[in-house]
Amino acid sequence: MREKPQKKEFSKLWRPARIPEVELLSASFQQFEFSRHWHDELAIGVIESGAEGLFYRGNNIVVPQHHVVAINPSEVHTGFAGCEQGWRYRMFYFPPEFISGYFDASEKHAEPVINTSLIDNPALFGRLLQCHIALEVPSLNLTQSSLLTLALEHLFTQYGTAKPAHELAGQAQNRTKQVRDYLHDHWQENVSLEALEAVSGLTKYQLIRYFKAHYGLTPHQFLLLLKVQKAKGLLMSGHSCVDTALSCGFFDQSHFTRNFKRAFGVPPKHYLV
């Protein structure tokens, strides 16, 4: 009888250059099992496919695909395949002081713990997954910081101790206009969220929330649209894809193509062909 081929297992553990305090894991396991252990960090993960089994707080639980798993610091647990095909997942390991510092810089305060280990929330799953991928592939500083801020605020407001802030809507409109103008003036650059905080006087949480409320987009989405709109003009005037990507401040052709197609439905090399 012909043996059924085994799926290849892999794992990648790294620290992104943008936030070296945070460790990231991307892995796929079918046969492998973690022994009992704990992390000093808050572990937050997204199950991309399959299911992960956990022994946690005295019980076996199964985390199915498209769910979020949360393991608080110093909590003993295991990890094993929760179904025959195993599981593919991505993990964040946040040091407690990183979480405290992240929220202390805003108008909120949050303890580095989550009140449930299994979360079924497609919107939160999508934000965490998008953030993790952005921290792995070439992405703008503003994209990485904004996605991380959105994911953490969603996670800790709904499942942690961070509470909705008092709105400052009366002052916000003029400040978000300053941000919009700054992005228009610096559209070719790799603008950081810290630079926008300095321009507006808003915290990163207020900035993203108010900007999206006024313009329907987060600042990093707005900056990417500015870049692809400028790119469209350069392509129309005869510039090559390579020159256009460089002129608009994209990291490489892949980064340029991905965002151009997302905006216009066709890759730049097919534009005007």
Side-chain angles (χ1 to χ4, degrees):
M1 178 183 292
R2 188 174 181 181
E3 291 187 3
K4 185 178 179 180
Q6 297 294 315
K7 291 185 178 179
K8 185 178 181 181
E9 296 189 340
F10 71 87
S11 59
K12 175 185 174 184
L13 186 67
W14 78 101
R15 291 176 182 267
R18 182 72 181 153
I19 46 169
E21 305 94 328
V22 178
E23 203 163 67
L24 302 175
L25 171 70
S26 177
S28 179
F29 296 122
Q30 186 176 29
Q31 305 293 331
F32 178 75
E33 294 186 10
F34 289 94
S35 60
R36 293 191 180 193
H37 65 286
W38 73 84
H39 303 280
D40 293 332
E41 301 86 1
L42 170 66
I44 302 294
V46 290
I47 309 301
E48 296 181 89
S49 63
E52 181 184 14
L54 288 173
F55 179 78
Y56 186 53
R57 296 182 175 175
N59 294 298
N60 280 325
I61 62 174
V62 173
V63 188
Q65 67 178 0
H66 302 162
H67 283 58
V68 177
V69 59
I71 301 172
N72 288 326
S74 304
E75 296 258 25
V76 175
H77 60 282
T78 62
F80 51 86
C83 64
E84 184 180 358
Q85 73 178 84
W87 79 109
R88 176 175 176 142
Y89 70 141
R90 292 172 178 267
M91 296 292 300
F92 299 84
Y93 300 99
F94 297 107
E97 58 274 17
F98 175 84
I99 296 297
S100 300
Y102 213 81
F103 282 95
D104 285 348
S106 74
E107 72 277 25
K108 299 181 179 181
H109 172 75
E111 298 295 329
V113 294
I114 298 301
N115 58 26
T116 182
S117 56
L118 178 59
I119 299 173
D120 180 10
N121 185 321
L124 177 60
F125 174 88
R127 281 182 170 171
L128 288 165
L129 178 61
Q130 193 178 9
C131 176
H132 202 288
I133 292 172
L135 291 170
E136 182 176 18
V137 303
S139 302
L140 298 175
N141 288 343
L142 187 57
T143 298
Q144 295 179 341
S145 298
S146 297
L147 291 175
L148 180 63
T149 299
L150 286 169
L152 288 179
E153 183 175 38
H154 190 165
L155 177 66
F156 281 90
T157 299
Q158 193 163 350
Y159 301 101
T161 58
K163 300 302 178 188
H166 176 67
E167 298 294 333
L168 301 172
Q171 304 173 16
Q173 190 163 2
N174 286 336
R175 298 187 184 184
T176 53
K177 285 181 180 175
Q178 292 174 325
V179 172
R180 181 199 60 185
D181 292 344
Y182 184 89
L183 292 174
H184 272 284
D185 291 341
H186 298 80
W187 66 269
Q188 289 175 293
E189 301 177 11
N190 187 4
V191 177
S192 69
L193 193 56
E194 291 78 8
L196 299 184
E197 285 182 280
V199 166
S200 65
L202 297 170
T203 68
K204 49 183 169 291
Y205 300 96
Q206 293 171 330
L207 196 159
I208 292 172
R209 191 183 320 129
Y210 296 153
F211 193 94
K212 187 173 183 179
H214 292 158
Y215 299 110
L217 297 168
T218 62
H220 82 272
Q221 291 171 329
F222 190 86
L223 178 61
L224 282 170
L225 276 179
L226 281 177
K227 288 178 180 291
V228 295
Q229 288 286 0
K230 299 289 186 182
K232 196 175 177 182
L234 291 175
L235 292 173
M236 289 178 68
S237 62
H239 287 74
S240 69
C241 289
V242 172
D243 289 342
T244 299
L246 290 173
S247 297
C248 295
F250 290 100
F251 283 103
D252 51 30
Q253 281 297 299
S254 175
H255 189 217
F256 174 39
T257 300
R258 185 169 65 250
N259 285 286
F260 191 93
K261 185 175 181 180
R262 187 175 292 160
F264 302 119
V266 294
K269 67 180 180 181
H270 292 165
Y271 184 62
L272 295 180
V273 173

